[in-house]
Amino acid sequence: MHRREGSCMHSSDEKLRKANPAETPMKNGAYPAEMKPNAGSASRKHRYLSRILEIAIILAVVACVEIAARACFDGVHLADYYNRDIRNLTEEKQKVKMVVLGASQVYHGCDTELLSDKLGGGDVIAAGVASSTNVGNYYIMKDLLKRFDPEIVLIDLHWNTIMKQGDISYTRGNLLSMDRLPYLNQLEFAFKEFSLDQIPNVSAMFRFGGKLYSPQKLLKNYIRKKEVAGGKEKRVQHGNSVYIKNGFSAYVTSAGRGSMPAEHFVYSNEQNDAQELAWVKKTQKLCEDSGARVIYLTLPSSMSRVYSVENNSDFHDFVNSLAKKSGTVYLDMNLLKDREKTLPDTMFTDNLHLNVIGANFISGELAKLIQKTMSGEDVSGYFYSDFAQMQKDVHRIVACSAVSASLSDDGSSVTVQAYSLRNPDLEAQYRLLVSTDGKEYEELVPWQDSETLTGDAAGLRNPKFRLEVRQKGQEDYDAYQNNITVTDAAGVPAA
């Protein structure tokens, strides 16, 4: 009986010790290996941390290789000219009067030489980036403030730059912002600001413009980049623009009056993103802490684009309120008085970008407004109070587009659904024209009030269609769209 009781007690003690290792007696001051507390958990944690470290090292190597490859072997881009000019300004210890942050509207719309001449006191830098991001602007400004002490910083804002971002254009904007940073700053930007949800976008993008270069082409790219970096050439042709100085690249093509398409976008204050606005405020604080005066800006879009954005006034009011709360002013160049006369379509190259003539005009106006603002003058009298007031001075149909254009099942007729941008008091008429085998356009559907136009398409060889719109009672058209894509009954572009 005693043996059985002792046996039972011994068995119970074993169970207790296994359940509670802390009660297990140690040998030579240590637990038996199989009895160490949480040994398996610690081992798993170590493996996880090692794996995370391995992935981080791999990503770091990939990022370094990508940055180095683009820096050495990609074709010459606007960033190469910008970086060269910034480096020259730094080495020559030049005074910088003003920096303008923003998207491509900045580097196509701000004539840095003219602004510098008008403002005096130093150079002007157009630090714009295509598809710019607010976080990219912050890092670019952070780098520039290490080099220069600008007196003024303009932050160019548009309705789509303060909304929630995340598509592939946002990733593109971040990558292009990185191109304007020193290498170590690029790595800092990449590891701090590229979130996991951007990785698929990065992997989907060709950082060499979608081209696979031969070794000979890579070598030519490398040599050309070295030439740009070491030179001081100005007015360099780059596509349909000419690079001038300090980031300014002037478009040399002009849009025709009424030639830009009618689009439709909707802005809503509810879609404003807190993180994007936080980066704007962070950039403003960064600049003001260095002694710079920050001014909010919206560079002008074409009248077609202005009319295309629903609730444009809400955006203006929001930024105006944001500027007042943060102790600055807001210059909305879309509301510049008499802009219908002084800023026609021919001063643009497309819906968003000024050409060299437009950039020259706007830069002159901007310099005047900045000087007055810096001296404490109220410049509100130079602007319309809102878009409704501006529209009262627009007495034309601004733009038109074919919403849809399709052939009938048997291909004997074509139907175009038209759309136009105009003030409510204007009545529109439309007509459809066709060009065959490269000949001049001929009328297919005469002027009519209906937005649905149907014409005979039988026997047309290689047709190209053109839509025109005019005010009812007038002879000439106000706007047009060429080369309308026509689909067949299945929705496939017709041959």
Side-chain angles (χ1 to χ4, degrees), residues 9 50 56 185 236 240 267 313 363 389 391 424 431:
M9 289 175 65
S50 297
N185 296 37
V236 182
N240 61 346
Y267 168 80
S313 289
S363 296
Q389 187 186 31
Q391 289 173 339
R431 74 168 176 170

Side-chain angles (χ1 to χ4, degrees), residues 76 80-81 84 223-233:
V76 172
D80 295 298
Y81 295 104
R84 178 205 65 192
I223 294 172
R224 178 62 184 138
K225 276 183 172 287
K226 286 293 185 183
E227 290 175 348
V228 170
K232 294 187 179 181
E233 55 186 331

Side-chain angles (χ1 to χ4, degrees), residues 4 6 36 63 72 87 92 128 233 256 293 303 340-341 376 389 487 489 491 495:
R4 284 197 297 271
K36 287 182 180 179
C72 295
R87 185 170 56 253
E92 296 167 7
E233 55 186 331
R293 171 73 185 275
M303 191 66 80
E340 173 70 348
K341 296 177 182 178
Q389 187 186 31
T487 60

Side-chain angles (χ1 to χ4, degrees), residues 104 107-108 238-242 248-254 348-350 353-357 359:
S104 52
Y107 65 76
H108 287 308
H238 189 88
N240 61 346
S241 65
V242 175
F248 175 48
S249 180
Y251 271 125
V252 294
T253 56
S254 295
F348 291 83
T349 192
D350 56 36
H353 302 105
L354 294 161
N355 59 25
V356 63
I357 301 171

Side-chain angles (χ1 to χ4, degrees), residues 267-286:
Y267 168 80
S268 170
N269 285 336
E270 286 69 32
Q271 292 178 288
N272 291 342
D273 185 64
Q275 185 175 357
E276 294 301 320
L277 291 170
W279 279 113
V280 173
K281 294 174 183 177
K282 192 173 180 180
T283 303
Q284 180 176 352
K285 186 177 186 306
L286 177 74

Side-chain angles (χ1 to χ4, degrees), residues 10 31 79 94 114 125 132 142-143 148 176 185 206 210 232 238 267 334 352 466 475 490:
H10 177 76
Y31 290 104
Q94 295 292 327
L114 187 147
I125 297 173
S132 81
K142 185 178 176 183
D143 172 58
F148 314 109
L176 292 174
N185 296 37
F206 289 98
K232 294 187 179 181
H238 189 88
Y267 168 80
N334 275 322
L352 290 176
R466 171 184 169 105
E475 291 293 323

Side-chain angles (χ1 to χ4, degrees), residues 64 98 153 158 177 196 214 223 242 401 459 477:
C64 290
M98 184 171 76
V153 175
H158 294 263
S177 295
L196 290 175
S214 66
I223 294 172
V242 175
S401 283
Y477 63 85

Side-chain angles (χ1 to χ4, degrees), residues 74-262:
D74 194 12
V76 172
H77 296 280
L78 291 175
D80 295 298
Y81 295 104
Y82 169 88
N83 291 335
R84 178 205 65 192
D85 287 353
I86 298 303
R87 185 170 56 253
N88 289 341
L89 287 173
T90 304
E91 292 173 353
E92 296 167 7
K93 298 182 179 180
Q94 295 292 327
K95 168 70 177 174
V96 170
K97 174 75 171 184
M98 184 171 76
V99 174
V100 190
L101 297 171
S104 52
Q105 288 98 322
V106 167
Y107 65 76
H108 287 308
C110 291
D111 186 331
T112 53
E113 290 185 320
L114 187 147
L115 283 165
S116 179
D117 290 342
K118 295 281 187 181
L119 294 174
D123 279 78
V124 172
I125 297 173
V129 178
S131 304
S132 81
T133 62
N134 293 307
V135 60
N137 289 341
Y138 174 82
Y139 275 85
I140 288 172
M141 197 65 230
K142 185 178 176 183
D143 172 58
L144 292 175
L145 287 174
K146 291 177 181 177
R147 304 166 183 262
F148 314 109
D149 295 307
E151 184 182 340
I152 308 162
V153 175
L154 305 184
I155 301 179
D156 185 43
L157 297 171
H158 294 263
W159 63 272
N160 55 343
T161 60
I162 59 173
M163 295 169 65
K164 178 66 177 174
Q165 306 293 326
D167 60 8
I168 198 165
S169 66
Y170 183 76
T171 305
R172 175 174 178 263
N174 279 340
L175 291 171
L176 292 174
S177 295
M178 284 173 58
D179 289 342
R180 286 160 171 78
L181 298 173
Y183 296 144
L184 290 179
N185 296 37
Q186 290 188 31
L187 288 173
E188 179 191 6
F189 187 11
F191 287 110
K192 284 186 176 180
E193 309 305 339
F194 270 88
S195 56
L196 290 175
D197 61 348
Q198 289 188 62
I199 292 176
N201 291 342
V202 174
S203 62
M205 296 180 68
F206 289 98
R207 294 285 275 125
F208 291 93
K211 301 172 184 176
L212 294 176
Y213 291 140
S214 66
Q216 294 88 345
K217 180 62 175 176
L218 291 174
L219 181 59
K220 287 182 179 179
N221 287 347
Y222 176 77
I223 294 172
R224 178 62 184 138
K225 276 183 172 287
K226 286 293 185 183
E227 290 175 348
V228 170
K232 294 187 179 181
E233 55 186 331
K234 292 167 58 178
R235 288 171 173 77
V236 182
Q237 188 77 28
H238 189 88
N240 61 346
S241 65
V242 175
Y243 182 82
I244 307 295
K245 183 184 179 183
N246 294 351
F248 175 48
S249 180
Y251 271 125
V252 294
T253 56
S254 295
R257 176 182 166 90
S259 65
M260 288 175 276

